[in-house]
Amino acid sequence: VQLQASGGGLVQAGGSLRLSCAASGRTFSRHFMGWFRQAPGKEREFVGRINWTGVTYYADSMKGRVTMSRNNAENTVSLEMNRLEPEDTAVYYCAAGRFGVVVASDWDYWGQGTLVTVSS
């Protein structure tokens, strides 16, 4: 089972990025798919999650700036981020889990992460 995140990079404050995550090895059509992030020296932080019918839930700090979507047939999930701020700089991880909670330790599968750097 593998989750492959991509799309990170360097962007100026106020800019946008679209992250993608492709799952292989099994289908996650009945799993929550989520995004977390981890900045240097900080704990892994919940960004948002989407269930198998497309219902989303976002962290308060991200509401209005992010949109998640998924394609169950292709086993992919994406995270569109807008109005990025330097404080959004982190490694972003995609994850799959049965419960969709905000606690990172309760998610079952993780991707390797993709670095997002927002310059001021």
Side-chain angles (χ1 to χ4, degrees), residues 9 13 17 20 24 28 31 34 39 43-44 64 66 70 72-74 78 81 84-85 89 91 102 107-108:
L17 273 179
S20 297
S24 60
F28 291 103
H31 279 66
E43 294 187 352
R44 195 164 294 190
V66 298
R70 67 187 290 170
N72 289 332
E74 296 184 355
S78 65
M81 301 187 292
L84 285 164
E85 305 165 354
T89 294
V91 176
V102 300
W107 289 72
D108 302 309

Side-chain angles (χ1 to χ4, degrees), residues 31-109:
H31 279 66
F32 289 89
M33 300 296 293
W35 287 94
F36 287 75
R37 66 184 184 181
Q38 188 164 19
K42 295 188 177 181
E43 294 187 352
R44 195 164 294 190
E45 175 188 25
F46 174 79
V47 173
R49 58 100 165 127
I50 184 169
N51 76 355
W52 45 92
T53 66
V55 176
T56 55
Y57 175 75
Y58 304 118
D60 287 344
S61 63
M62 308 303 289
K63 285 179 181 176
R65 299 194 297 128
V66 298
T67 303
M68 288 184 66
S69 60
R70 67 187 290 170
N71 184 321
N72 289 332
E74 296 184 355
N75 238 8
T76 59
V77 62
S78 65
L79 177 70
E80 181 83 27
M81 301 187 292
N82 301 301
R83 302 196 307 277
L84 285 164
E85 305 165 354
E87 294 73 23
D88 295 316
T89 294
V91 176
Y92 283 71
Y93 298 89
C94 63
R98 293 161 291 165
F99 309 116
V101 296
V102 300
V103 178
S105 59
D106 285 346
W107 289 72
D108 302 309
Y109 304 95

